[in-house]
Amino acid sequence: MDGPIDTSLAILYGRTQRLKEAVGMDTEAVEIYRNLVISDAETYRPDLANTLNNEGDLCSDFQRLKDAEKAYKEALQIRRDLAKINSQAYRPDVAKTLSDIGTLYSQMGHFEEAYEASNEALQIFQDLAKSSPEAYQPGLAFTLNALGTLDLQTQRLKEADETLTEALRIRANLAQSNPQAYQPDLGATLNNLGILYRRTSRREEAVRVYTEALQIRRDLAKANPVAYRPNLAMTLNNLGNLYLEMGKLEKADECFTEALGIRRELVKDNPEVYMPVLAQTLSSLGMVYKMEGRNPESIPLCTQAATIYQSLAADNADKYRQALSQVCMR
């Protein structure tokens, strides 16, 4: 074989939310590389690790978290072995997989494992960025953002402030020099800072960063709606919740209404991923209508949200029971 297998079509499918096709193609590539490793491990083990890491990314996007964990762990072991032989070449790959698996463990609620992997990734990227900042600051910022998100989940708000602020500084600089590549990352960190500021009662700061994230995500969604409308809906929903807390019902209504329209469309193509967040927005907008005295409009939304949560709770009661009990309630 002349060169590595081109898995760009699998990556493209992932970016355009064609996740089933993407996972299938990447799984096929993994099996091809497994067979190649049997005959020439030195040549093809790096490619196998790369493809396994891609499979982990795709499975994570599709909420197949156990499959993602399996793929990441195998990729990590291969990359650790390669780094023992050639640290300079493969240590960055070890950091990448550690950061990815840390993010996955955060999604799974395995916080101790998430911190362990993310902190190891952070240490590696910090070391690499000292000698080659241009090459490794994006990875450093990704890991800082992931750690900040983890700190938010575990209520370590002071630590979240420090890590997210540093991630913002790096990503703002990167986006200034290359907006096409780094504006999506900047939008993500701004959104996370909005969550932090809201939780620490810094509401005007939260409005500011959410609004900035919203503008970035609107622009991205105009250029590539399939890839970026989910993120646009997320920030709209977050900003709507903030306005609701501030008693700005008209603005909350506008945000939730727009988010609801996007999420209804997303659910058509991928209900497994987007049904839970659709229920969130239905409940939130139903609550706004209730507070505005628009009960005839509120009831159908609250009923739809409750129906979705009942279905989700049937499969995962621990995760969705509380949400079901709080439909259309502040």
Side-chain angles (χ1 to χ4, degrees):
M1 185 171 289
D2 294 331
I5 297 166
D6 186 355
T7 59
S8 57
L9 188 55
I11 294 168
L12 173 63
Y13 283 162
R15 288 175 179 171
T16 57
Q17 303 298 309
R18 295 170 64 180
L19 296 174
K20 290 182 180 178
E21 295 99 320
V23 172
M25 292 194 71
D26 206 80
T27 300
E28 183 179 348
V30 167
E31 291 311 309
I32 293 171
Y33 277 126
R34 286 196 197 283
N35 291 327
L36 291 169
V37 164
I38 294 171
S39 59
D40 190 349
E42 184 176 352
T43 299
Y44 292 111
R45 284 190 84 206
D47 295 324
L48 175 59
N50 292 343
T51 310
L52 282 163
N53 207 89
N54 288 341
E55 184 176 38
D57 291 342
L58 292 166
C59 287
S60 178
D61 287 343
F62 203 49
Q63 298 299 303
R64 290 170 49 179
L65 303 186
K66 286 293 184 182
D67 291 336
E69 181 184 17
K70 182 180 178 182
Y72 282 143
K73 287 175 78 171
E74 186 177 354
L76 182 60
Q77 186 56 60
I78 295 170
R79 287 176 162 178
R80 285 196 191 278
D81 292 343
L82 292 168
K84 290 176 184 176
I85 300 167
N86 188 337
S87 176
Q88 185 174 356
Y90 295 110
R91 198 170 174 232
D93 294 336
V94 172
K96 169 70 168 64
T97 303
L98 282 166
S99 191
D100 289 338
I101 202 168
T103 301
L104 175 71
Y105 282 141
S106 179
Q107 284 181 267
M108 298 172 77
H110 299 172
F111 298 131
E112 185 175 345
E113 294 94 330
Y115 274 115
E116 183 179 351
S118 297
N119 282 320
E120 185 180 353
L122 182 64
Q123 183 61 60
I124 295 171
F125 276 127
Q126 285 174 331
D127 291 344
L128 293 168
K130 289 176 185 175
S131 57
S132 185
E134 187 173 341
Y136 297 114
Q137 279 201 332
L140 175 58
F142 179 91
T143 306
L144 285 164
N145 188 74
L147 268 170
T149 304
L150 181 57
D151 288 332
L152 285 172
Q153 287 181 274
T154 56
Q155 298 300 314
R156 299 175 61 183
L157 300 184
K158 181 180 179 182
E159 291 86 348
D161 199 336
E162 293 172 358
T163 52
L164 290 173
T165 299
E166 178 63 9
L168 180 66
R169 183 189 67 79
I170 297 170
R171 286 181 159 176
N173 289 335
L174 290 169
Q176 190 170 12
S177 60
N178 190 343
Q180 185 173 359
Y182 296 112
Q183 284 278 55
D185 296 336
L186 178 59
T189 299
L190 286 164
N191 185 78
N192 289 339
L193 276 168
I195 296 169
L196 171 69
Y197 292 157
R198 178 187 167 202
R199 289 188 186 175
T200 52
S201 301
R202 295 149 68 181
R203 289 174 174 169
E204 293 304 324
E205 291 177 80
V207 170
R208 176 180 58 80
V209 293
Y210 275 144
T211 302
E212 190 174 346
L214 191 60
Q215 185 57 59
I216 290 170
R217 290 179 160 179
R218 280 197 194 284
D219 293 342
L220 291 168
K222 286 177 185 175
N224 190 342
V226 175
Y228 294 112
R229 288 183 86 208
N231 292 333
L232 174 59
M234 178 194 301
T235 300
L236 283 165
N237 202 80
N238 289 345
L239 185 56
N241 283 323
L242 177 62
Y243 282 140
L244 185 59
E245 285 184 1
M246 297 171 75
K248 297 183 178 182
L249 299 184
E250 185 176 347
K251 289 187 175 182
D253 188 334
E254 291 173 2
C255 289
F256 289 137
T257 298
E258 186 177 356
L260 181 61
I262 295 170
R263 286 178 164 174
R264 284 196 190 279
E265 291 299 315
L266 293 171
V267 159
K268 293 177 184 177
D269 293 327
N270 199 339
E272 185 176 354
V273 172
Y274 295 111
M275 197 65 79
V277 293
L278 174 62
Q280 289 176 6
T281 306
L282 285 164
S283 177
S284 296
L285 186 57
M287 180 163 50
V288 170
Y289 286 166
K290 187 188 295 186
M291 293 172 69
E292 291 177 327
R294 298 160 63 183
N295 288 334
E297 294 169 88
S298 173
I299 291 170
L301 298 182
C302 298
T303 301
Q304 289 174 53
T307 300
I308 293 170
Y309 280 132
Q310 284 171 347
S311 176
L312 293 168
D315 295 325
N316 192 337
D318 290 342
K319 186 172 183 179
Y320 295 109
R321 186 189 298 114
Q322 183 177 5
L324 176 59
S325 70
Q326 294 177 348
V327 166
C328 293
M329 295 175 60
R330 290 193 69 175

